């Protein structure tokens, strides 16, 4: 039996909450922070917020937007 298969079968024996914690831990281990991307998103968010405050963008109410897609 492969190591993966053994780990998987043991994981299935865990309680639901423990399995959830295991999955979250594994997923979090794949997320590698990228400072350059984080910095770019921060700049973009600030740029959009400033445009909103200065009324340079058209905004719509969330309910109005949701009606369009639901």
């Amino acid at each position: 039996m492969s190591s993966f298969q053994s780990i998987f079968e043991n994981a299935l024996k865990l309680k639901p909450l423990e399995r959830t914690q295991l999955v979250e831990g594994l997923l979090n281990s794949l997320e590698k922070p990228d400072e350059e991307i984080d910095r770019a998103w921060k700049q973009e968010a600030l740029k959009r917020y400033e445009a909103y405050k200065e009324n340079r963008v058209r905004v719509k109410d969330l309910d109005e937007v949701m009606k369009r897609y639901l």
Side-chain angles (χ1 to χ4, degrees):
M1 178 183 307
S2 75
S3 159
F4 170 82
Q5 189 64 33
S6 175
I7 292 169
F8 182 73
E9 287 177 9
N10 285 326
L12 290 176
K13 295 175 186 173
L14 296 171
K15 295 176 183 176
L17 178 58
E18 293 171 326
R19 289 197 314 256
T20 301
Q21 292 169 333
L22 176 62
V23 169
E24 287 177 350
L26 289 170
L27 288 174
N28 286 337
S29 75
L30 296 173
E31 296 178 7
K32 305 272 191 252
D34 186 322
E35 291 181 20
E36 186 176 332
I37 292 173
D38 291 344
R39 189 173 24 261
W41 271 115
K42 181 178 179 180
Q43 289 174 344
E44 181 64 23
L46 290 171
K47 184 176 90 175
R48 292 180 187 195
Y49 179 64
E50 289 300 320
Y52 166 75
K53 285 192 330 185
E54 296 170 5
N55 293 318
R56 291 186 284 125
V57 293
R58 245 181 58 200
V59 296
K60 294 184 179 183
D61 186 77
L62 175 63
D63 292 332
E64 188 180 334
V65 173
M66 295 307 289
K67 284 180 191 174
R68 181 176 178 187
Y69 295 101
L70 297 179

